[in-house]
Amino acid sequence: MGFSTPFKRFFAWLDVVTGWYPADMSMEERNLVRKIDVFVLGYCCFAFFTKYLDVSALSNAYFAGMEEDLDLYGNRFNYVNAVYQVGYCLFQIPSNIIITRLPSQYYLPTAEVMWGLFTLGTAFVKTYHQLLALRFFVGFSATACYVGCLHIVNCWYKKSELGRRNAIYFSAMPLGTMIAGYIQAGLANINTGGLRPWQWLFIVCAIITIPVAVFGYFFFPDVPEKTTSRWFTEREKMLAFDRLKGDGFERSKGLSWKLVSRVMKAWQFWTFVWMGNLFWLAPYGASAATPFQLWLQSLNYSTAAVNNIGTVTSVVSIPAALLAAIYSDWRRKRWEMMLFAGILMLVGNVMLLVWDMSFSAKFAAFMLLGIANGPGNLVVVWAAETFAHDLEARAITLATINATNCALYLVIPLGAWQMKDGPRFFAGYTTSVCMSAVQLLLIPVAVLFQRRDEKKFREFAVMVGVDPLASSSEASAEIDREIRKNGGELVVMDSVEIPTSIAEAYPIEHESDYRLQHAKIQEKA
């Protein structure tokens, strides 16, 4: 399938500005990755955008008359959000296991149609209890979107491509939040058809959501090893899988009780689940969920101004996410930008905890949290890279990060961010300061574990007579056989001597770095 001139111009511009495609990438592979960017990343971004468009609509509707119309007094708004999180959590991990078994090109768009219809239904609720019911089903049907699309995106790209693609995907979330605010601001004075402005917001969101699902039915290609998409040639399908295999990604190992054991014993599971949750929850104060907007409302801004200005923390997170991804792809070290963002997060939360400061200082603190929220997607990239060898374990880990995050979003706002405490939220900012500090401590823990594993891989490869400079999948297969002979444990003798050539070529950071450096040496030879 050929690409039109506008597409070619766009990708040429993208390549010049960001180095989107490596200079040594063949034209055949480059054309394949362009298709992946359009059909896989494109659909996933639009789906994630509409999810957050529909989710954020509730906060904007709250400030546009829903509070009075549905009697959302006291802590009722938090209960509505909590019910959404209950629905979202219930099917989280099962959904991500299902997506490794069922055709995702039908599963994900069907889920999107369902949450689009439930969002449409929200426009016509008359009571608080009807709103609770609809939000539960919006959450339940939207479960598949974030982690499901995230899993698919990480199944198509090599490690060196993951950072920027995940940043683009992540940017769909603040973009959805922003657009929902702008739509509600534009509908502020519309009362056509006997409907209030907040009701029209849900109708417009549903109208945007359904066509994206239709696009998915026709164009979304599933994962490389199962795709039957007519938009990819047989040669491209084979190349899509082979290039991932050469980068250390393995085929599905299937579902069994051994999977539970593999996940529970993996340091990646425990470290990234904790790190991801703390990293995503700590900047809660800058989210459009209420704290930032409630502060603006307390300053007597109009409803339209609250909805418009309330999007700026989302605006700054988009370039922050893209720049962090470009930098981390260049450095091949995810932890550096996460450490930087964690420090910004801690500073911003401490400033808001102090609270007694000028308008400019408070606004700057919220902006710091917005910027710090940008690199949050690197947690997912880091986890995906370290779990490249185990598709199901990776899927479960990513789903668990999101599921536990949903559970915490259900509990923490009800305790630390009660509406009656706004806009000061002393308990909320105290909680966020503690989270910021702990997640900073987890970053070096993950770095140490990763370097330990990579050192073991290198030493064990030498010990069993496998060239670790060869294809990672071939080396890993041989090592797996040796591991089974040793009772399932990775045993490395202290006496193993690493050849100087290997030690110099492999800086104990990433296997992909190792192979890339070796390939350059071979080319020069």
Side-chain angles (χ1 to χ4, degrees):
M1 175 185 172
F3 279 84
S4 63
T5 300
F7 269 124
K8 289 181 179 179
R9 288 176 179 172
F10 171 75
F11 284 116
W13 171 84
L14 189 66
D15 194 14
V16 170
V17 173
T18 66
W20 197 254
Y21 305 103
D24 58 350
M25 180 181 283
S26 68
M27 186 56 64
E28 181 183 28
E29 185 175 1
R30 184 173 298 214
N31 288 333
L32 169 64
V33 176
R34 284 175 177 170
K35 286 188 179 183
I36 298 171
D37 286 340
V38 172
F39 296 125
V40 179
L41 185 62
Y43 168 74
C44 289
C45 284
F46 278 116
F48 193 33
F49 163 77
T50 57
K51 174 187 178 295
Y52 260 86
L53 184 72
D54 298 343
V55 171
S56 301
L58 183 68
S59 295
N60 293 290
Y62 176 81
F63 291 103
M66 177 186 274
E67 178 185 12
E68 296 81 12
D69 292 348
L70 300 183
D71 296 324
L72 300 182
Y73 53 81
N75 224 27
R76 279 190 164 190
F77 181 73
N78 279 348
Y79 293 141
V80 173
N81 279 324
V83 165
Y84 168 86
Q85 296 295 344
V86 169
Y88 195 70
C89 288
L90 282 178
F91 202 50
Q92 191 68 227
I93 295 178
S95 176
N96 227 38
I97 294 176
I98 290 172
I99 205 171
T100 65
R101 304 290 102 188
L102 298 182
S104 60
Q105 70 264 37
Y106 304 122
Y107 177 62
L108 292 177
T110 299
E112 187 167 7
V113 169
M114 291 174 62
W115 91 63
L117 293 176
F118 288 129
T119 297
L120 179 63
T122 307
F124 302 100
V125 298
K126 302 297 183 184
T127 68
Y128 164 67
H129 293 95
Q130 290 176 356
L131 179 63
L132 288 175
L134 262 296
R135 294 310 288 181
F136 172 83
F137 285 109
V138 169
F140 187 85
S141 54
T143 295
C145 178
Y146 174 68
V147 178
C149 288
L150 184 66
H151 169 69
I152 300 298
V153 167
N154 283 284
C155 282
W156 279 92
Y157 292 106
K158 295 164 69 173
K159 294 174 185 176
S160 59
E161 301 163 350
L162 284 176
R164 276 167 279 193
R165 268 69 179 193
N166 273 277
I168 293 290
Y169 177 65
F170 172 83
S171 297
M173 177 183 70
L175 187 63
T177 301
M178 289 162 48
I179 298 300
Y182 299 146
I183 292 174
Q184 185 64 83
L187 297 171
N189 298 312
I190 295 180
N191 290 284
T192 307
L195 298 176
R196 299 267 281 148
W198 66 265
Q199 293 174 294
W200 279 109
L201 174 62
F202 288 110
I203 293 172
V204 171
C205 289
I207 291 172
I208 295 173
T209 299
I210 302 300
V212 174
V214 174
F215 174 89
Y217 281 123
F218 286 97
F219 296 101
F220 193 51
D222 208 331
V223 295
E225 64 185 78
K226 295 193 297 185
T227 184
T228 58
S229 174
R230 60 178 177 146
W231 307 107
F232 292 80
T233 66
E234 292 304 316
R235 169 61 187 162
E236 287 173 333
K237 293 172 186 177
M238 185 180 301
L239 176 61
F241 179 76
D242 287 345
R243 74 193 204 100
L244 296 177
K245 183 180 178 182
D247 202 39
F249 289 91
E250 300 291 346
R251 281 185 179 273
S252 169
K253 291 179 169 63
L255 299 177
S256 68
W257 286 111
K258 290 182 179 179
L259 171 61
V260 178
S261 177
R262 291 203 310 270
V263 172
M264 291 297 104
K265 290 180 179 179
W267 66 264
Q268 295 97 321
F269 177 81
W270 299 104
T271 306
F272 288 120
V273 166
W274 278 104
M275 187 188 301
N277 277 292
L278 294 173
F279 207 96
W280 295 344
L281 281 164
Y284 185 88
S287 70
T290 50
F292 182 46
Q293 287 178 305
L294 277 176
W295 175 62
L296 294 172
Q297 188 183 53
S298 71
L299 300 175
N300 296 319
Y301 282 97
S302 66
T303 298
V306 169
N307 284 321
N308 282 326
I309 300 174
T311 65
V312 296
T313 52
S314 298
V315 172
V316 297
S317 70
I318 295 176
L322 295 175
L323 290 174
I326 292 171
Y327 176 86
S328 69
D329 276 351
W330 169 59
R331 290 281 294 163
R332 301 289 180 89
K333 297 176 182 178
R334 308 303 179 188
W335 65 269
E336 292 178 339
M337 287 308 301
M338 289 188 62
L339 184 64
F340 174 71
I343 293 171
L344 293 184
M345 207 176 292
L346 180 60
V347 172
N349 279 316
V350 168
M351 291 172 67
L352 290 170
L353 177 60
V354 173
W355 193 257
D356 292 327
M357 61 183 89
S358 66
F359 170 87
S360 299
K362 279 199 187 89
F363 194 85
F366 281 117
M367 293 305 101
L368 286 178
L369 294 184
I371 294 170
N373 198 33
N377 69 94
L378 293 179
V379 176
V380 171
V381 179
W382 199 357
E385 288 178 342
T386 57
F387 257 139
H389 59 285
D390 197 328
L391 179 67
E392 284 77 20
R394 180 178 62 184
I396 288 177
T397 299
L398 297 183
T400 303
I401 294 173
N402 204 46
T404 50
N405 187 252
C406 292
L408 291 172
Y409 258 99
L410 166 64
V411 175
I412 290 177
L414 292 177
W417 299 91
Q418 294 192 34
M419 299 291 284
K420 64 182 179 61
D421 297 331
R424 176 67 180 87
F425 292 116
F426 178 81
Y429 291 118
T430 300
T431 303
S432 290
V433 167
C434 295
M435 289 181 173
S436 301
V438 174
Q439 65 92 9
L440 279 174
L441 296 176
L442 284 175
I443 293 173
V445 171
V447 172
L448 290 174
F449 272 122
Q450 183 179 18
R451 290 185 176 181
R452 181 206 65 180
D453 283 0
E454 289 167 345
K455 186 172 183 291
K456 278 187 175 182
F457 175 84
R458 185 177 67 173
E459 293 175 343
F460 201 78
V462 174
M463 189 177 74
V464 300
V466 177
D467 180 8
L469 291 170
S471 167
S472 174
S473 58
E474 293 175 7
S476 296
E478 181 64 28
I479 289 173
D480 282 343
R481 285 191 287 272
E482 293 295 328
I483 290 173
R484 284 193 291 272
K485 291 179 183 177
N486 285 283
E489 294 296 327
L490 181 56
V491 180
V492 180
M493 303 296 291
D494 292 335
S495 59
V496 174
E497 184 176 344
I498 308 300
T500 304
S501 60
I502 292 178
E504 291 178 349
Y506 190 30
I508 316 181
E509 278 299 331
H510 289 285
E511 295 169 27
S512 55
D513 283 347
Y514 193 15
R515 293 191 300 280
L516 180 62
Q517 291 177 33
H518 180 64
K520 291 180 179 178
I521 292 171
Q522 293 297 100
E523 287 178 5
K524 291 179 181 178

